[in-house]
Amino acid sequence: MEEKIIKTEYAEIMQKSFIDYAMSVIIARALPDARDGLKPVQRRTLYDMHELGIRYDRPYRKSARIVGDTMGKYHPHGDSSIYEALVVMTQDFKKGLPLVDGHGNFGNIEGDGAAAMRYTEARLQQVTQQALLSDLDKDVVDFVPNFDETEKEPSVLPAKFPNLLVNGSEGIAVGMATNIPPHNLSEVIDAVKAYMKDENISNEGLMKYLKGPDFPTGGIVINKDDLLQIYTTGTGKIKIRGKVDIEKGKAGKTNVVISEIPYPMIGVNIAKFLMDVAALAESKKTMDIVDITNQSSKEGIRIVIELKRDADVDNFVNMLYKKTRLEDTFGVNMLAISDGRPETMSLKQVIKCNVDFQYEVNTRKYTNLLERELEKKEVQEGLIKACNVIDLVIEILRGSKDRAMAKACLVEGKTDGIKFKFKESKIMAAQLSFTEKQANAILEMRLYKLIGLELEALINEHEETMANIYRYEDILARRDSMAQVIMNELDDIKKSFGRPRRTVIDNFAEAVYEEKKQEEMEVVFLMDRFGYAKTIDIAAYERNKEAADAENKYVFTCKNTGKICIFTNIGQLHTVKVSDIPYGKFRDKGIPIDNVSNYNSEKERMIAVTSQTSLNLYRVIFATKLSMLKVVDGGEFDVSKRTVASTKLLEDDEVVSVTVLDDQKDIVLQTNDGFFLKFPLEEIPEKKKGAVGVRGMKLGAKDFVENVYYTGIWDQTIEYKGKQMELSRLKMGKRDSKGTKVRI
């Protein structure tokens, strides 16, 4: 067979492939359908449980069985995605109305994950069975082939209420995302009924019934006035706070108790909140906290913060709103699949989509039921007619050679070959005209049906069938009748599964927190050779001066309202607020300086650490590996940014020394090859921090400056190659000379 090569642009193939992939993710995985509010994986899992018979009134089945069966029949993706969807549908702290009844460890509100699927069990909730799956046998929705065309699955579930609103949804597709908050079932049903009574109702009119989101975690929505705009456009931000109660504690103290949390705080963010509150105390943002305990249990959230007696409770609570996630934002984006394409929908559009779907489902349902009742009517009328001439029917049956002969007589009046006792019977038999279905029913009728009570029951059943036919025809013919049927079903769902609202909705002023000004005082900064830093009281330092100086690499006094400056070998300056460094006892370990600054010990090395106050009062001298020197006014390093460039470096150069100038007179440069050069500091010009500087000494090939020393009114002795060396004995030279090689 001759090969056929098709040439095409690579860009066209990539574009088509990416669009196909994007649409697949958008339509078939990440976004919910506006009609039933379910993503494909959720719909397939629920349908599979329905098919397996795992109903609400039957025993639980292993989650692994459900996941495996769903993956094998309907959802050919990873088992973890199916199990995660199953887990979320059981969690009453995430869903307004859980669709699956879980038995076992399905995780908790504090972020602990569910147990493996081999350990947990599940079954459908009653509301799922009654309101999402109940009419699948009545041809109410289209069934489509599964991935390998060996099974059929529903394209959508016949949800009887807007599940998209009740349970909300979240998902990330390609280039778009959805984030819909959960709502109160009773309010949603009231809004649906209001729309059905007046299809011209506005979003504002609907919101008289549906007040806003109703999060399963409770909380307080504080921007009520913004909700109309959010529900009209389908996008916006809902501000939500946790519920805070004030209780009397022991010994006159006050307990701030958090009993409800913002919905976005579900999971690991609770632990983050506790850490944030503890950090406020450690950083001295507040001095009111005595203790923090998490007393949450299966009964609900209870986080207790014990405050001092004289604490300003209102100011403290406002601080929690401003500084932690006790006040958070839920970003609404009501994006769903409508008519086969993604659409950002308003509240009215979501309700309209579901109501239109309800009319479609009920039209198909009652059309199917009417057909069934008409078939029953036909059979019942045939049986009643047969009972009126039962003697003739029996005579036909006894005189016929086979079933076909008897059936032909009943349907077409053919009497050939049938033996009759009386001539009149043959004449009457020739006049029979039962339908095919009636004839089959007569032939299959049992003798006990001839009992008087059975005949009476048959007549009553026929009357009931006629009443059903009249009712179904009325529902299909009149939209008002169908609307009443739908509203009656909604009322039943509301009565059985509705619950009071949990989330409070109102307008609250923005939290105003007055940060107490820290009382300025002198402290001693200590940092050991491992980079652990802390500040202590001056008196504590004086008592432990010898040990402090011996155990720490950097020791100096500073203001608790000031900053610490860290100069590194790559020419960076990192600043740290002294208030961010823990203040405590002398024997406290401290905190790694990496944790409170941008300094990265893996990529750079500290050259000097000093206080901002010292820099402002003095000048700073820089010396680099390639012998570049400059003096900079310390005020240039009084910056607001946490990290800036402290100097400009040549290629392959790095900072060797940064020193605050006080009473030094001469500088001594020592190279790796043993050359020393001593000259007056006056020869080094003052430059800006962005300058490279001037050359301090001439270096030999591959030689570099290793150490920098200073002399002043004192005589300094250094250790060089294991021996003592007095710098005052070095011969004075000039800048940019080679220096003298010292041999010891």
Side-chain angles (χ1 to χ4, degrees):
M1 184 176 178
E2 185 181 351
E3 288 187 358
K4 186 177 181 181
I5 300 174
I6 300 174
K7 293 184 178 181
T8 184
E9 286 289 333
Y10 185 72
E12 291 179 9
I13 296 176
M14 288 297 295
Q15 184 179 14
K16 183 179 183 302
S17 299
F18 184 78
I19 290 174
D20 291 344
Y21 160 73
M23 290 306 298
S24 173
V25 172
I26 292 168
I27 303 297
R29 295 191 73 173
L31 300 184
D33 193 297
R35 295 170 292 177
D36 62 5
L38 298 173
K39 299 179 186 179
V41 63
Q42 296 171 322
R43 185 181 304 115
R44 289 164 175 168
T45 303
L46 295 177
Y47 178 68
D48 185 75
M49 294 176 73
H50 173 73
E51 286 294 286
L52 290 174
I54 313 174
R55 315 293 172 85
Y56 69 92
D57 54 354
R58 296 184 185 177
Y60 295 93
R61 297 283 287 276
K62 281 287 185 185
S63 299
R65 169 66 192 279
I66 299 168
V67 171
D69 203 64
T70 303
M71 182 167 58
K73 288 182 178 179
Y74 309 116
H75 198 70
H77 301 285
D79 56 351
S80 60
S81 64
I82 301 173
Y83 185 51
E84 285 171 11
L86 178 69
V87 167
V88 170
M89 288 191 289
T90 68
Q91 295 176 330
D92 57 3
F93 52 87
K94 281 190 178 178
K95 294 295 180 183
L97 189 68
L99 302 177
V100 176
D101 180 10
H103 182 250
N105 176 16
F106 278 91
N108 59 36
I109 196 171
E110 296 189 47
D112 296 325
M117 57 184 156
R118 61 182 178 274
Y119 299 120
T120 60
E121 299 175 329
R123 64 184 178 189
L124 291 171
Q125 289 277 14
Q126 185 176 355
V127 65
T128 313
Q129 196 66 49
Q130 293 182 3
L132 269 73
L133 298 161
S134 60
D135 292 327
L136 283 173
D137 59 336
K138 298 181 179 66
D139 188 35
V140 292
V141 294
D142 294 331
F143 277 72
V144 296
N146 69 338
F147 62 92
D148 60 0
E149 298 187 356
T150 58
E151 302 278 347
K152 293 280 189 177
E153 61 175 306
S155 59
V156 63
L157 294 187
K160 295 181 179 179
F161 61 88
N163 181 55
L164 184 67
L165 290 174
V166 174
N167 275 322
S169 184
E170 60 179 13
I172 300 174
V174 179
M176 57 185 67
T178 184
N179 202 26
I180 303 172
H183 296 80
N184 185 274
L185 174 65
S186 300
E187 292 182 5
V188 170
I189 288 175
D190 290 341
V192 171
K193 290 171 62 180
Y195 172 80
M196 293 180 69
K197 292 174 183 176
D198 178 14
E199 294 189 356
N200 294 319
I201 191 172
S202 63
N203 285 293
E204 186 176 6
L206 289 171
M207 289 189 66
K208 293 178 181 178
Y209 304 93
L210 193 153
K211 308 296 183 185
D214 186 25
F215 298 104
T217 55
I220 305 168
V221 172
I222 64 171
N223 59 332
K224 180 180 178 181
D225 288 346
D226 296 339
L227 295 183
L228 177 59
Q229 178 70 14
I230 292 172
Y231 284 111
T232 301
T233 62
T235 60
K237 292 182 179 180
I238 295 174
K239 293 181 180 179
I240 180 170
R241 291 177 181 172
K243 183 181 178 184
V244 177
D245 299 313
I246 308 300
E247 298 178 359
K248 289 184 178 180
K250 297 178 182 179
K253 297 175 183 175
T254 303
N255 289 342
V256 174
V257 180
I258 299 163
S259 55
E260 294 177 5
I261 60 173
Y263 188 67
M265 199 192 283
I266 290 174
V268 295
N269 284 326
I270 293 181
K272 176 71 166 56
F273 169 74
L274 295 172
M275 292 174 61
D276 288 344
V277 176
L280 290 174
E282 289 178 3
S283 63
K284 308 303 177 185
K285 288 285 190 301
T286 177
M287 304 291 287
D288 296 332
I289 299 176
V290 176
D291 192 22
I292 310 168
T293 55
N294 185 3
Q295 301 174 9
S296 304
S297 63
K298 291 181 179 179
E299 283 67 42
I301 292 292
R302 183 176 170 83
I303 299 171
V304 180
I305 304 173
E306 187 178 358
L307 303 182
K308 293 178 180 178
R309 291 185 184 180
D310 57 346
D312 185 342
V313 178
D314 291 338
N315 193 55
F316 177 79
V317 172
N318 284 340
M319 180 186 69
L320 294 182
Y321 289 146
K322 297 291 283 186
K323 301 288 187 180
T324 72
R325 297 194 69 174
L326 190 60
E327 179 178 313
D328 213 335
T329 300
F330 185 96
V332 177
N333 189 20
M334 296 173 66
L335 182 72
I337 303 300
S338 177
D339 295 329
R341 62 187 182 87
E343 183 178 349
T344 301
M345 310 175 77
S346 67
L347 173 62
K348 183 176 178 179
Q349 286 175 309
V350 173
I351 292 177
K352 178 183 183 300
C353 183
N354 183 262
V355 170
D356 291 346
F357 180 56
Q358 287 302 311
Y359 279 116
E360 178 189 339
V361 165
N362 279 276
T363 298
R364 294 178 64 163
K365 173 184 175 180
Y366 286 104
T367 300
N368 183 276
L369 290 175
L370 179 60
E371 290 175 356
R372 293 183 188 181
E373 292 298 317
L374 289 173
E375 289 179 5
K376 285 171 63 178
K377 170 179 173 285
E378 180 183 342
V379 171
Q380 289 165 354
E381 289 178 345
L383 291 176
I384 292 171
K385 181 180 175 182
C387 287
N388 291 333
V389 290
I390 192 64
D391 293 334
L392 176 62
V393 172
I394 292 174
E395 194 171 342
I396 293 171
L397 295 177
R398 292 184 65 182
S400 300
K401 293 180 180 180
D402 53 32
R403 179 187 175 99
M405 184 180 288
K407 184 176 179 181
C409 181
L410 292 172
V411 175
E412 302 173 16
K414 292 182 179 180
T415 58
D416 298 340
I418 301 176
K419 295 180 180 180
F420 291 95
K421 287 185 178 182
F422 308 103
K423 292 182 179 179
E424 294 81 359
S425 299
K426 187 173 183 179
I427 295 171
M428 293 174 63
Q431 298 174 1
L432 295 177
S433 59
F434 290 100
T435 65
E436 286 274 342
K437 292 179 181 178
Q438 290 173 339
N440 287 330
I442 292 168
L443 293 172
E444 293 171 1
M445 182 175 65
R446 297 187 179 185
L447 290 176
Y448 78 88
K449 290 287 185 181
L450 301 176
I451 299 172
L453 291 176
E454 289 293 331
L455 290 174
E456 185 178 345
L458 179 61
I459 293 171
N460 292 336
E461 186 179 341
H462 179 254
E463 292 176 352
E464 184 180 343
T465 300
M466 293 303 295
N468 286 339
I469 290 172
Y470 174 78
R471 177 168 170 263
Y472 297 157
E473 287 178 340
D474 179 65
I475 291 171
L476 290 170
R478 296 174 57 241
R479 189 176 176 88
D480 289 348
S481 297
M482 184 175 289
Q484 191 59 51
V485 169
I486 295 172
M487 287 192 283
N488 289 341
E489 288 183 339
L490 289 172
D491 287 336
D492 291 340
I493 294 171
K494 177 182 175 180
K495 183 178 179 181
S496 300
F497 308 107
R499 57 163 178 76
R501 163 172 281 278
R502 295 174 184 170
T503 301
V504 176
I505 297 179
D506 208 338
N507 287 312
F508 287 83
E510 186 176 350
V512 177
Y513 162 59
E514 294 182 4
E515 190 168 350
K516 294 180 180 178
K517 291 184 178 180
Q518 194 173 14
E519 184 180 346
E520 188 175 83
M521 66 178 194
E522 289 250 342
V523 294
V524 178
F525 172 83
L526 304 175
M527 186 165 71
D528 62 22
R529 60 192 180 91
F530 300 107
Y532 281 80
K534 63 190 173 189
T535 58
I536 62 172
D537 182 70
I538 290 181
Y541 169 71
E542 294 295 340
R543 290 193 301 271
N544 302 276
K545 187 175 187 305
E546 187 176 341
D549 292 343
E551 296 172 7
N552 292 282
K553 186 175 181 180
Y554 297 101
V555 180
F556 53 82
T557 60
C558 58
K559 298 283 188 183
N560 62 344
T561 55
K563 294 179 182 178
I564 301 297
C565 296
I566 303 170
F567 293 92
T568 71
N569 65 314
I570 61 173
Q572 296 283 6
L573 167 65
H574 302 293
T575 62
V576 188
K577 289 183 179 179
V578 177
S579 57
D580 290 340
I581 300 170
Y583 173 81
K585 299 177 182 178
F586 173 67
R587 286 300 170 191
D588 289 347
K589 188 174 183 181
I591 188 172
I593 201 70
D594 303 49
N595 292 5
V596 291
S597 70
N598 292 336
Y599 171 71
N600 189 337
S601 57
E602 295 181 358
K603 296 181 179 180
E604 53 191 333
R605 187 177 73 257
M606 287 187 202
I607 299 300
V609 180
T610 186
S611 71
Q612 184 73 63
T613 306
S614 297
L615 290 177
N616 288 340
L617 295 175
Y618 301 97
R619 296 185 302 162
V620 180
I621 183 170
F622 283 80
T624 73
K625 187 177 180 180
L626 298 181
S627 182
M628 302 306 294
L629 305 176
K630 69 176 178 181
V631 174
V632 182
D633 184 89
E636 286 200 41
F637 304 110
D638 191 355
V639 293
S640 58
K641 293 183 179 180
R642 296 186 68 185
T643 300
V644 295
S646 62
T647 187
K648 186 177 181 180
L649 293 173
L650 298 174
E651 188 177 355
D652 297 327
D653 199 4
E654 64 178 67
V655 179
V656 174
S657 172
V658 178
T659 306
V660 176
L661 291 178
D662 187 1
D663 52 7
Q664 298 95 325
K665 290 176 61 180
D666 306 320
I667 184 171
V668 179
L669 303 179
Q670 176 222 318
T671 72
N672 183 60
D673 288 346
F675 284 88
F676 283 78
L677 175 62
K678 177 181 176 182
F679 60 89
L681 287 173
E682 297 171 356
E683 296 185 17
I684 303 175
E686 184 171 322
K687 300 275 188 180
K688 295 293 183 180
K689 69 177 187 207
V692 176
V694 298
R695 189 167 64 178
M697 69 183 296
K698 294 178 180 178
L699 300 174
K702 296 184 180 180
D703 197 9
F704 58 87
V705 174
E706 190 174 55
N707 290 305
V708 180
Y709 306 105
Y710 298 92
T711 63
I713 58 175
W714 69 93
D715 290 331
Q716 185 178 0
T717 302
I718 64 169
E719 184 176 317
Y720 179 64
K721 293 187 177 181
K723 294 185 179 181
Q724 298 297 312
M725 175 179 169
E726 292 183 8
L727 296 179
S728 59
R729 294 188 177 183
L730 288 173
K731 182 181 177 182
M732 185 68 72
K734 289 187 177 182
R735 182 182 68 78
D736 201 21
S737 58
K738 191 170 183 180
T740 306
K741 184 155 187 171
V742 175
R743 293 181 175 84
I744 297 180

mmCIF file of all heavy atoms in Angstrom, residues 94 108-113 261 264-276 325:
data_model
loop_
_atom_site.group_PDB
_atom_site.id
_atom_site.type_symbol
_atom_site.label_atom_id
_atom_site.label_comp_id
_atom_site.label_asym_id
_atom_site.label_seq_id
_atom_site.Cartn_x
_atom_site.Cartn_y
_atom_site.Cartn_z
ATOM 1 N N LYS A 94 -18.480 20.940 53.760
ATOM 2 C CA LYS A 94 -18.191 21.518 52.451
ATOM 3 C C LYS A 94 -19.446 21.685 51.610
ATOM 4 O O LYS A 94 -19.559 22.616 50.831
ATOM 5 C CB LYS A 94 -17.181 20.650 51.688
ATOM 6 C CG LYS A 94 -15.739 20.845 52.118
ATOM 7 C CD LYS A 94 -14.802 20.147 51.164
ATOM 8 C CE LYS A 94 -13.336 20.384 51.577
ATOM 9 N NZ LYS A 94 -12.412 19.669 50.672
ATOM 10 N N ASN A 108 -12.047 15.722 58.079
ATOM 11 C CA ASN A 108 -12.741 16.660 58.959
ATOM 12 C C ASN A 108 -12.450 18.092 58.547
ATOM 13 O O ASN A 108 -11.652 18.360 57.654
ATOM 14 C CB ASN A 108 -12.362 16.423 60.424
ATOM 15 C CG ASN A 108 -10.859 16.575 60.677
ATOM 16 O OD1 ASN A 108 -10.181 17.416 60.077
ATOM 17 N ND2 ASN A 108 -10.325 15.754 61.556
ATOM 18 N N ILE A 109 -13.087 19.007 59.232
ATOM 19 C CA ILE A 109 -13.027 20.428 58.886
ATOM 20 C C ILE A 109 -11.642 21.016 59.121
ATOM 21 O O ILE A 109 -11.295 22.047 58.569
ATOM 22 C CB ILE A 109 -14.091 21.196 59.697
ATOM 23 C CG1 ILE A 109 -14.330 22.577 59.087
ATOM 24 C CG2 ILE A 109 -13.695 21.293 61.163
ATOM 25 C CD1 ILE A 109 -15.513 23.299 59.684
ATOM 26 N N GLU A 110 -10.819 20.340 59.923
ATOM 27 C CA GLU A 110 -9.490 20.858 60.244
ATOM 28 C C GLU A 110 -8.429 20.447 59.232
ATOM 29 O O GLU A 110 -7.251 20.724 59.413
ATOM 30 C CB GLU A 110 -9.084 20.419 61.648
ATOM 31 C CG GLU A 110 -9.979 21.002 62.735
ATOM 32 C CD GLU A 110 -9.460 20.743 64.133
ATOM 33 O OE1 GLU A 110 -8.264 20.965 64.365
ATOM 34 O OE2 GLU A 110 -10.243 20.313 64.983
ATOM 35 N N GLY A 111 -8.835 19.742 58.184
ATOM 36 C CA GLY A 111 -7.898 19.444 57.109
ATOM 37 C C GLY A 111 -7.357 18.029 57.092
ATOM 38 O O GLY A 111 -6.575 17.682 56.206
ATOM 39 N N ASP A 112 -7.741 17.187 58.048
ATOM 40 C CA ASP A 112 -7.299 15.794 58.027
ATOM 41 C C ASP A 112 -7.980 15.086 56.856
ATOM 42 O O ASP A 112 -9.198 15.200 56.670
ATOM 43 C CB ASP A 112 -7.653 15.088 59.338
ATOM 44 C CG ASP A 112 -6.922 15.707 60.525
ATOM 45 O OD1 ASP A 112 -5.768 16.124 60.331
ATOM 46 O OD2 ASP A 112 -7.498 15.779 61.623
ATOM 47 N N GLY A 113 -7.214 14.330 56.093
ATOM 48 C CA GLY A 113 -7.762 13.660 54.917
ATOM 49 C C GLY A 113 -8.570 12.434 55.269
ATOM 50 O O GLY A 113 -8.553 11.938 56.409
ATOM 51 N N ILE A 261 -16.302 29.523 61.624
ATOM 52 C CA ILE A 261 -15.174 30.047 60.852
ATOM 53 C C ILE A 261 -15.627 30.418 59.447
ATOM 54 O O ILE A 261 -16.635 29.911 58.957
ATOM 55 C CB ILE A 261 -14.031 29.014 60.763
ATOM 56 C CG1 ILE A 261 -14.522 27.735 60.066
ATOM 57 C CG2 ILE A 261 -13.456 28.719 62.134
ATOM 58 C CD1 ILE A 261 -13.439 26.732 59.783
ATOM 59 N N PRO A 264 -13.784 29.785 53.575
ATOM 60 C CA PRO A 264 -12.468 29.521 52.976
ATOM 61 C C PRO A 264 -11.430 29.009 53.971
ATOM 62 O O PRO A 264 -10.348 28.587 53.561
ATOM 63 C CB PRO A 264 -12.044 30.897 52.419
ATOM 64 C CG PRO A 264 -13.305 31.674 52.279
ATOM 65 C CD PRO A 264 -14.176 31.211 53.401
ATOM 66 N N MET A 265 -11.735 29.071 55.277
ATOM 67 C CA MET A 265 -10.755 28.623 56.263
ATOM 68 C C MET A 265 -10.779 27.110 56.464
ATOM 69 O O MET A 265 -9.967 26.558 57.211
ATOM 70 C CB MET A 265 -11.006 29.317 57.612
ATOM 71 C CG MET A 265 -9.796 29.285 58.546
ATOM 72 S SD MET A 265 -10.173 29.773 60.243
ATOM 73 C CE MET A 265 -10.278 31.534 60.078
ATOM 74 N N ILE A 266 -11.715 26.415 55.790
ATOM 75 C CA ILE A 266 -11.816 24.963 55.948
ATOM 76 C C ILE A 266 -10.476 24.305 55.631
ATOM 77 O O ILE A 266 -9.819 24.649 54.659
ATOM 78 C CB ILE A 266 -12.900 24.391 55.012
ATOM 79 C CG1 ILE A 266 -14.286 24.817 55.479
ATOM 80 C CG2 ILE A 266 -12.842 22.875 54.963
ATOM 81 C CD1 ILE A 266 -15.388 24.401 54.531
ATOM 82 N N GLY A 267 -10.089 23.340 56.451
ATOM 83 C CA GLY A 267 -8.877 22.572 56.179
ATOM 84 C C GLY A 267 -7.669 23.110 56.908
ATOM 85 O O GLY A 267 -7.752 23.560 58.047
ATOM 86 N N VAL A 268 -6.541 23.098 56.236
ATOM 87 C CA VAL A 268 -5.275 23.467 56.873
ATOM 88 C C VAL A 268 -5.239 24.920 57.289
ATOM 89 O O VAL A 268 -4.383 25.317 58.074
ATOM 90 C CB VAL A 268 -4.076 23.164 55.950
ATOM 91 C CG1 VAL A 268 -3.948 21.680 55.723
ATOM 92 C CG2 VAL A 268 -4.242 23.881 54.607
ATOM 93 N N ASN A 269 -6.162 25.730 56.770
ATOM 94 C CA ASN A 269 -6.143 27.146 57.138
ATOM 95 C C ASN A 269 -6.516 27.376 58.601
ATOM 96 O O ASN A 269 -6.279 28.450 59.132
ATOM 97 C CB ASN A 269 -7.072 27.948 56.224
ATOM 98 C CG ASN A 269 -6.456 28.160 54.844
ATOM 99 O OD1 ASN A 269 -5.241 28.305 54.727
ATOM 100 N ND2 ASN A 269 -7.270 28.149 53.814
ATOM 101 N N ILE A 270 -7.147 26.382 59.245
ATOM 102 C CA ILE A 270 -7.425 26.511 60.681
ATOM 103 C C ILE A 270 -6.100 26.485 61.444
ATOM 104 O O ILE A 270 -5.861 27.303 62.341
ATOM 105 C CB ILE A 270 -8.364 25.386 61.158
ATOM 106 C CG1 ILE A 270 -9.750 25.565 60.523
ATOM 107 C CG2 ILE A 270 -8.481 25.392 62.680
ATOM 108 C CD1 ILE A 270 -10.756 24.522 60.934
ATOM 109 N N ALA A 271 -5.236 25.542 61.076
ATOM 110 C CA ALA A 271 -3.912 25.484 61.708
ATOM 111 C C ALA A 271 -3.125 26.754 61.408
ATOM 112 O O ALA A 271 -2.420 27.286 62.277
ATOM 113 C CB ALA A 271 -3.154 24.251 61.212
ATOM 114 N N LYS A 272 -3.254 27.253 60.172
ATOM 115 C CA LYS A 272 -2.576 28.506 59.804
ATOM 116 C C LYS A 272 -3.098 29.664 60.648
ATOM 117 O O LYS A 272 -2.324 30.525 61.078
ATOM 118 C CB LYS A 272 -2.818 28.778 58.317
ATOM 119 C CG LYS A 272 -2.253 30.098 57.795
ATOM 120 C CD LYS A 272 -0.732 30.068 57.729
ATOM 121 C CE LYS A 272 -0.163 31.214 56.909
ATOM 122 N NZ LYS A 272 -0.556 32.538 57.332
ATOM 123 N N PHE A 273 -4.398 29.683 60.914
ATOM 124 C CA PHE A 273 -4.983 30.739 61.735
ATOM 125 C C PHE A 273 -4.391 30.704 63.144
ATOM 126 O O PHE A 273 -4.018 31.742 63.704
ATOM 127 C CB PHE A 273 -6.499 30.570 61.788
ATOM 128 C CG PHE A 273 -7.174 31.433 62.815
ATOM 129 C CD1 PHE A 273 -7.325 32.797 62.619
ATOM 130 C CD2 PHE A 273 -7.641 30.885 63.999
ATOM 131 C CE1 PHE A 273 -7.938 33.593 63.578
ATOM 132 C CE2 PHE A 273 -8.254 31.669 64.957
ATOM 133 C CZ PHE A 273 -8.400 33.030 64.744
ATOM 134 N N LEU A 274 -4.289 29.519 63.724
ATOM 135 C CA LEU A 274 -3.717 29.393 65.066
ATOM 136 C C LEU A 274 -2.268 29.870 65.086
ATOM 137 O O LEU A 274 -1.835 30.542 66.028
ATOM 138 C CB LEU A 274 -3.809 27.937 65.541
ATOM 139 C CG LEU A 274 -5.230 27.386 65.756
ATOM 140 C CD1 LEU A 274 -5.182 25.890 66.019
ATOM 141 C CD2 LEU A 274 -5.924 28.108 66.899
ATOM 142 N N MET A 275 -1.514 29.532 64.035
ATOM 143 C CA MET A 275 -0.120 29.976 63.956
ATOM 144 C C MET A 275 -0.036 31.493 63.808
ATOM 145 O O MET A 275 0.841 32.136 64.398
ATOM 146 C CB MET A 275 0.573 29.291 62.774
ATOM 147 C CG MET A 275 0.766 27.790 62.950
ATOM 148 S SD MET A 275 1.415 26.983 61.476
ATOM 149 C CE MET A 275 2.975 27.826 61.277
ATOM 150 N N ASP A 276 -0.968 32.065 63.038
ATOM 151 C CA ASP A 276 -0.971 33.521 62.854
ATOM 152 C C ASP A 276 -1.256 34.242 64.165
ATOM 153 O O ASP A 276 -0.653 35.278 64.461
ATOM 154 C CB ASP A 276 -2.012 33.916 61.809
ATOM 155 C CG ASP A 276 -1.598 33.523 60.396
ATOM 156 O OD1 ASP A 276 -0.403 33.229 60.197
ATOM 157 O OD2 ASP A 276 -2.464 33.488 59.504
ATOM 158 N N ARG A 325 -7.025 35.322 59.013
ATOM 159 C CA ARG A 325 -8.073 34.934 58.062
ATOM 160 C C ARG A 325 -9.414 34.717 58.757
ATOM 161 O O ARG A 325 -10.291 34.037 58.215
ATOM 162 C CB ARG A 325 -7.654 33.672 57.311
ATOM 163 C CG ARG A 325 -6.420 33.875 56.462
ATOM 164 C CD ARG A 325 -6.201 32.746 55.485
ATOM 165 N NE ARG A 325 -7.210 32.717 54.444
ATOM 166 C CZ ARG A 325 -7.161 31.888 53.405
ATOM 167 N NH1 ARG A 325 -6.148 31.060 53.265
ATOM 168 N NH2 ARG A 325 -8.117 31.886 52.498
#
